[in-house]
Amino acid sequence: MTTLAARPIEVSAPHRPTTMRALIKHHAGTELQFVSNRPVPTPGPRDVLIRVKKVGICGTDRHIWEWDAWAAGRIPVGIVTGHEFVGTIEQVGSAVTNYKPGQRVSAEGHITAWKDYNSRTGNAHIASDTKIIGIDRDGCFAEYVCVPEENVWPVHASIPDKIAAVLDPLGNAVHTVMAANVSAKSVLVTGTGIIGLMSITVAKAAGASRIFATDLDPKRRALAKKLGATEAFDPRDDQWIADIRKHCRGEGVDVLLEMSGASTALTQGFEALRNGGTAALLGLFGKPVTFDINKLVIFKGCTVLGINGRKMFETWYQMEELLLSGRLELEDIVTHEFPLEQFKKAHETMISGEGIKVVMAVN
Ligand code: ZN
């Protein structure tokens, strides 16, 4: 039997450090820098300070890592990057009434002042004054992140951290699929990057009858089929468009979800779309594209939707319902996890294509 030694009295007062570990865009060039002395943000009266647990690395973070023309023109040097995360509320501002410390949360990263036309009419995701965390202001590749309480999303207890860390891109996929109204329709997904793959499992869960996909990478095509695609085509062989038409009453698919941001895929996708179909465009193009609007939009009589972000917060509720339904297959999409300190390896794993969705553990 052991002797119980007297223990020192534990003081329960919070002792949050004043500095934190973080990844910052330290110069107008490539990569990020790991620092351990970034000041912990101080929440304003209506802000929530969140202790970050896990973060997702996005395609946007790749642009920032590689410091391409878009990043150079948009990202302020010195900010903490990252916008996909799950964490626990550490502290709330004096005017916050909806949340309390200890709650597990994620957040909508698009921050608006709720003053412009779209914010006040149910379309805050396309507000003219949007500031995005990790892009326009400090983000979540850090031990703590601060957001307005309106942006906080409480995460359901049954959703694991690994998935809760990537609700931002999953929300992009859900918004695209729901906007295009895929139930009982044939769907073509051009480009099976992270959000393209997510949109396949979302479209299947949302009742799409058949899902076709295109991608240059045979591994991604195989995964697309595993996630529910009826058929996945190599877009370099033009024959696939005739094949899709043959499968779809000789006319083409009902819905196109453009996820590649490649001009060839854009044209091919619209060629495979039936007259009167709906196209939802999410993939971002590296430069302006040449596209036959007469033939592919006007004479087709199709509907074209530009998709940006996630609806606040309709998409988040839809996403939670889909996750709780158990019908989303995300295990094969979130492929790697590294500690924050291995950020270099984490980014390289994503950029090389070896990893699909790469997550970093912060706390
Ligand atoms: Zn993202």
Side-chain angles (χ1 to χ4, degrees):
M1 195 174 163
T2 52
T3 312
L4 290 174
R7 288 186 184 167
I9 296 165
E10 284 178 10
V11 180
S12 62
H15 55 282
R16 187 182 328 123
T18 53
T19 59
M20 63 181 185
R21 293 172 291 127
L23 300 183
I24 59 169
K25 177 44 84 178
H26 55 303
H27 68 154
T30 58
E31 304 198 7
L32 299 173
Q33 185 181 46
F34 180 89
V35 297
S36 53
N37 60 351
R38 183 82 173 185
V40 173
T42 307
R46 298 185 62 193
D47 291 339
V48 170
L49 181 69
I50 300 161
R51 186 164 192 258
V52 178
K53 286 166 87 176
K54 285 190 203 299
V55 297
I57 303 179
C58 183
T60 306
D61 296 310
R62 176 185 185 160
H63 293 291
I64 298 171
W65 182 267
E66 294 178 337
W67 201 248
D68 63 9
W70 172 82
R74 173 91 182 245
I75 308 297
V77 169
I79 65 159
V80 175
T81 61
H83 58 271
E84 305 173 359
F85 74 95
V86 62
T88 308
I89 294 180
E90 176 79 11
Q91 185 189 342
V92 297
S94 56
V96 171
T97 54
N98 269 339
Y99 301 103
K100 54 182 190 298
Q103 280 182 283
R104 193 168 71 111
V105 297
S106 183
E108 168 56 58
H110 288 206
I111 292 167
T112 163
W114 300 93
K115 285 179 179 162
D116 81 330
Y117 177 88
N118 281 308
S119 296
R120 291 169 60 81
T121 55
N123 288 305
H125 62 297
I126 47 170
S128 54
D129 63 348
T130 298
K131 297 266 181 290
I132 305 177
I133 63 167
I135 289 173
D136 304 306
R137 53 181 268 167
D138 275 357
C140 63
F141 288 174
E143 286 181 82
Y144 296 93
V145 63
C146 204
V147 297
E149 73 165 317
E150 290 87 352
N151 287 69
V152 172
W153 178 259
V155 177
H156 193 281
S158 68
I159 299 171
D161 284 343
K162 181 178 140 176
I163 303 302
V166 299
L167 295 179
D168 176 288
L170 182 60
N172 289 139
V174 171
H175 180 22
T176 313
V177 168
M178 300 312 283
N181 192 16
V182 302
S183 174
K185 288 179 181 160
S186 56
V187 175
L188 167 63
V189 178
T190 44
T192 54
I194 297 157
I195 297 173
L197 289 168
M198 286 174 162
S199 73
I200 290 172
T201 187
V202 171
K204 190 179 175 201
S209 54
R210 289 174 298 161
I211 303 162
F212 303 96
T214 62
D215 202 283
L216 298 170
D217 181 351
K219 285 204 306 271
R220 303 258 171 166
R221 293 200 296 272
L223 185 49
K225 287 177 83 168
K226 192 173 173 205
L227 295 174
T230 313
E231 194 55 72
F233 301 98
D234 183 339
R236 283 166 294 205
D237 174 7
D238 265 347
Q239 178 59 32
W240 70 271
I241 298 171
D243 286 349
I244 279 201
R245 285 225 185 85
K246 199 171 73 197
H247 287 305
C248 300
R249 302 179 293 272
E251 297 180 45
V253 288
D254 299 312
V255 171
L256 164 66
L257 308 180
E258 206 311 289
M259 299 285 178
S260 73
S263 59
T264 316
L266 181 74
T267 293
Q268 289 179 332
F270 274 85
E271 281 173 351
L273 184 67
R274 71 163 164 78
N275 287 359
T278 298
L281 313 185
L282 180 97
L284 293 177
F285 297 83
K287 54 180 196 277
V289 296
T290 303
F291 179 74
D292 190 344
I293 291 185
N294 296 352
K295 177 183 160 202
L296 297 174
V297 174
I298 298 172
F299 285 111
K300 261 186 189 281
C302 59
T303 302
V304 182
L305 305 168
I307 304 293
N308 176 13
R310 301 143 296 279
K311 292 200 85 175
M312 292 179 229
F313 278 82
E314 186 182 6
T315 303
W316 290 81
Y317 286 107
Q318 291 166 335
M319 175 161 53
E320 183 175 88
E321 285 301 325
L322 288 166
L323 284 165
L324 297 182
S325 78
R327 284 183 285 166
L328 296 188
E329 290 186 41
L330 299 165
E331 283 300 311
D332 292 319
I333 297 175
V334 186
T335 54
H336 291 74
E337 181 172 323
F338 297 95
L340 183 69
E341 284 75 4
Q342 290 182 27
F343 66 101
K344 234 179 155 159
K345 199 168 172 205
H347 279 77
E348 283 162 5
T349 302
M350 192 275 267
I351 290 168
S352 71
E354 180 197 340
I356 296 174
K357 193 59 171 176
V358 177
V359 164
M360 294 188 287
V362 181
N363 280 303

